[in-house]
C-alpha cells in the first residue's frame, strides 16, 4: 500500500508518489493512467509534503476527469478482431510457428497468425503493430516535400503528446496512432512536418499544416481531440 493515496469519488484509491527535487521552484503534478494508475508529484526540496497533498486536492476535479476518462485496458487473446492501420484484423495463434504471418485480403480484412508461446501473444501482436506503424509513418513522410523530411523517425509510447519534432532533426510519434484512422495518422505526421518550418503554433504554422494535409484537416484534428483517449485501450 502506498504511503499517500488520492481517493476518487468512485472509491478507487490512487497511489501518490512524491519526489523532492533540489532547484525546483514549483510543485508539478502528473496523473498516470498506464501501465499503472498513479499520481506523481514533484515538489521543491523544502516544501512540506502537506502542502503538496493540498495541491493535489485543489486539482481534484482535473484529476478525477483524467482517471474517469481513461479507457479500461482490453487484453488481446487469440480469436479477437481488432482494427489498426486501416485493416480489420483477425488474430490467430500457432505455437508451431516461430514468426508471424500477416495476410491482407482483397476486401481489406486481414489475418495475423502469431507464433511462439501463448504467454508472449500480446507482446508479439504489439511489436508487430509498432513495426507496421513505423513503416506507415515513413511512407506518409515521403509524400511531403523532401526538404521537410526528418533525419530520424522514432516511435514512442507517450500519453501526453502524439508527436514531437526536435531541433536535432528527430521526429517522434506515439505508436498508439496505429489504432486511429489513417487520415488521422496522416494529420499528426503533417503536423510534425510543419514544425520543420515553424517551431510554434502560430497562424502561419496551421496554414502550413493545412497545405501539407489538404482537404479534411479540421475533421482529422477534431477526431483526435474527441477519440484520442480510446487509442490507449490496448496493451
Amino acid at each position: 500500500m502506498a504511503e499517500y493515496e488520492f481517493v476518487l469519488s468512485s472509491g478507487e484509491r490512487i497511489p501518490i508518489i512524491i519526489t523532492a527535487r533540489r532547484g525546483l521552484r514549483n510543485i508539478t503534478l502528473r496523473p498516470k493512467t498506464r501501465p499503472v494508475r498513479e499520481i506523481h508529484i514533484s515538489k521543491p526540496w523544502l516544501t512540506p509534503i502537506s502542502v503538496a497533498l493540498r495541491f493535489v486536492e485543489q486539482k481534484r476535479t482535473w484529476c478525477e476527469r483524467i482517471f474517469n476518462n481513461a479507457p479500461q485496458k482490453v487484453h488481446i487473446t487469440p480469436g479477437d478482431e481488432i482494427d489498426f492501420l486501416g485493416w480489420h484484423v483477425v488474430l490467430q495463434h500457432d505455437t508451431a510457428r516461430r514468426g508471424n504471418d500477416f495476410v491482407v485480403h482483397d476486401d481489406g480484412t486481414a489475418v495475423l497468425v502469431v507464433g511462439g508461446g501463448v504467454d508472449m501473444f500480446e507482446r508479439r501482436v504489439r511489436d508487430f503493430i509498432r513495426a507496421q506503424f513505423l513503416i506507415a509513418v515513413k511512407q506518409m513522410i515521403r509524400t511531403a516535400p523532401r526538404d521537410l523530411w526528418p533525419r530520424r523517425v522514432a516511435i514512442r509510447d507517450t500519453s501526453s503528446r502524439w508527436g514531437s519534432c526536435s531541433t536535432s532533426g528527430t521526429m517522434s510519434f506515439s505508436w498508439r496512432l496505429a489504432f486511429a484512422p489513417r487520415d488521422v495518422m496522416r494529420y499528426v505526421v503533417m503536423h510534425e512536418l510543419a514544425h520543420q518550418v515553424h517551431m510554434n503554433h502560430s497562424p502561419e504554422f496551421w496554414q502550413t499544416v493545412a497545405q501539407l494535409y489538404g482537404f479534411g484537416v479540421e475533421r482529422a484534428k477534431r477526431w483526435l481531440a474527441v477519440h484520442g483517449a480510446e487509442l490507449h485501450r490496448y496493451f
Side-chain angles (χ1 to χ4, degrees):
M1 179 181 295
E3 185 175 0
Y4 306 103
E5 294 180 324
F6 180 82
V7 183
L8 299 179
S9 299
S10 64
E12 181 183 358
R13 311 182 80 88
I14 305 296
I16 297 176
I17 312 299
I18 301 177
T19 304
R21 300 185 183 278
R22 296 185 185 276
L24 193 66
R25 300 181 61 182
N26 299 303
I27 298 173
T28 61
L29 176 63
R30 186 161 60 95
K32 293 182 62 177
T33 60
R34 58 181 182 81
V36 294
R37 290 157 71 89
E38 297 174 335
I39 293 177
H40 287 246
I41 303 174
S42 295
K43 71 176 187 67
W45 188 262
L46 298 179
T47 297
I49 289 177
S50 59
V51 173
L53 294 175
R54 283 200 300 271
F55 181 74
V56 178
E57 193 58 38
Q58 292 169 3
K59 300 294 183 180
R60 167 167 289 277
T61 300
W62 178 64
C63 289
E64 290 257 9
R65 184 169 63 249
I66 288 177
F67 287 109
N68 290 337
N69 292 340
Q72 295 296 319
K73 287 296 181 184
V74 176
H75 288 287
I76 299 297
T77 59
D80 286 345
E81 300 181 16
I82 63 174
D83 295 302
F84 60 85
L85 296 172
W87 298 305
H88 182 74
V89 183
V90 178
L91 303 176
Q92 298 179 359
H93 183 226
D94 183 356
T95 56
R97 183 183 297 275
R98 297 189 63 182
N100 301 323
D101 185 26
F102 185 61
V103 179
V104 179
H105 302 295
D106 293 338
D107 62 358
T109 61
V111 176
L112 173 61
V113 182
V114 178
V118 68
D119 58 320
M120 296 292 290
F121 183 79
E122 272 196 305
R123 178 176 177 179
R124 286 177 179 269
V125 173
R126 182 200 64 192
D127 291 348
F128 176 82
I129 296 173
R130 285 172 58 103
Q132 292 300 309
F133 174 73
L134 179 59
I135 293 172
V137 166
K138 290 181 177 180
Q139 290 173 341
M140 291 177 181
I141 288 173
R142 285 194 285 269
T143 66
R146 191 180 183 90
D147 59 336
L148 300 182
W149 294 6
R151 293 181 180 177
R152 177 174 173 266
V153 179
I155 301 302
R156 303 282 186 255
D157 191 3
T158 54
S159 57
S160 59
R161 58 176 60 187
W162 299 113
S164 63
C165 179
S166 71
T167 55
S168 66
T170 297
M171 203 165 284
S172 302
F173 297 93
S174 169
W175 74 273
R176 303 285 177 170
L177 287 165
F179 301 111
R182 289 185 71 93
D183 60 336
V184 175
M185 282 179 51
R186 184 170 170 272
Y187 158 70
V188 176
V189 171
M190 296 305 148
H191 181 115
E192 298 309 324
L193 288 173
H195 279 310
Q196 299 280 62
V197 183
H198 305 284
M199 290 297 286
N200 53 45
H201 288 95
S202 62
E204 292 76 16
F205 164 80
W206 290 112
Q207 183 178 11
T208 302
V209 174
Q211 291 172 346
L212 290 171
Y213 184 93
F215 179 76
V217 62
E218 289 300 325
R219 180 174 63 246
K221 183 179 177 182
R222 285 195 302 271
W223 190 98
L224 193 57
V226 173
H227 300 284
E230 301 170 14
L231 305 182
H232 293 279
R233 64 186 179 276
Y234 297 122
F235 310 105

